Amino acid sequence: MKIEEIIKSASMPLARKTVINIIYTANVLSEQSSDTLKQFGLTLPQFNVLRILRGQKGKPANLSTIQDRMVNKMSNTTRLVDKLIDKGLAVRVICQENRRKVEISITDKGLQLLSQIDAPMDRLNDQAVAQLSEEELNLFNDMLEKIRE
Amino acid sequence: MKIEEIIKSASMPLARKTVINIIYTANVLSEQSSDTLKQFGLTLPQFNVLRILRGQKGKPANLSTIQDRMVNKMSNTTRLVDKLIDKGLAVRVICQENRRKVEISITDKGLQLLSQIDAPMDRLNDQAVAQLSEEELNLFNDMLEKIRE
DNA sequence: TTTTTATTGTTGTATATACAAATGTTGTTT
DNA sequence: AAACAACATTTGTATATACAACAATAAAAA
């Protein structure tokens, strides 16, 4: 369905329509992901941080590293990490070389949880873009890049 | 900058990359809009609701109408509207034909505020999509539509 | 060495949002 | 008419997030 129909808007400038379309579509995709993640007890930002930690391949990450790599830069990563620790999915150790820093690592339990989530999440993403060819998707990603600049 | 560089990720499946790219770009655009709106004392959802009310052209809207048309469907539109009323930008009247409903209208003050915001917001949106031609933008919007289905 | 500045995280506060339950109203069934 | 179901919105509660202020540590300057 066209975005104008969805938000029941009269015709609007193409630029405004495009921006609304991106934000609306992102909401749809986020909700789909959140729904899938809910059964695993994770929110989307929590899931993303867990994936970042896994990407460290054993090396711990400090808070600023995590923030750099987050899709949704949020002001308060401390409390998000707290939640992961409460659930036993991550651990926090104060860095000995620089005691201002903390080192955060994913636990075995965290890795195990992620391994369960990978397949359903990839399936979800595949479905989302199934109507576009690889070539179209590459073009589409390039366009997004241009919009961000 | 490519999305993989931004979130400092190793290469990932194209579908996942695309979904992350959309969500990340939507965040960038939302933040830009929020920054502009902040000086007018509005959040992005509040601004969108005000625009919906203006689109009614004098006719009041009830809560469910507003929710239908919102870009970010939120569970609690009541309190969002409360904020607009606190600021004197909207008024709420209980509908006489059906006393379960409430009729919400934009005030003159609200209309006046919106008229100040229109130009800077359109300029922002224009800038965002400036690197794409009209033809490309139409293609892009079609692709977003396919992704939502 | 002491003071100042910068870095890295954490905490407090206000607001926003999701979700479920509750309220008040209207329509329908018995 | 009384009981029940449906509707439209509001409220309660928990969690999330933005923003600013705070603390602790380290590095740099005086």
Side-chain angles (χ1 to χ4, degrees), chain B residues 8 13 36-37 81-82 84 86 97 108 116 122 133 148:
Chain B
K8 290 165 185 96
T36 300
L37 290 171
V81 170
D82 285 344
L84 297 178
D86 287 349
E97 298 101 61
D108 284 345
Q116 292 182 314
D122 277 336
S133 70
R148 277 200 309 274

Side-chain angles (χ1 to χ4, degrees), chain A residues 129-141:
Chain A
V129 303
Q131 294 209 51
L132 299 174
S133 69
E134 188 176 333
E135 196 186 342
E136 285 175 312
L137 283 177
N138 284 321
L139 175 62
F140 179 80
N141 278 287

Side-chain angles (χ1 to χ4, degrees), chain B residues 62 92-103:
Chain B
N62 54 38
R92 174 160 35 195
V93 176
I94 291 173
C95 178
Q96 283 311 320
E97 298 101 61
N98 184 341
R99 288 160 51 84
R100 283 171 300 189
K101 292 188 179 180
V102 294
E103 294 188 325

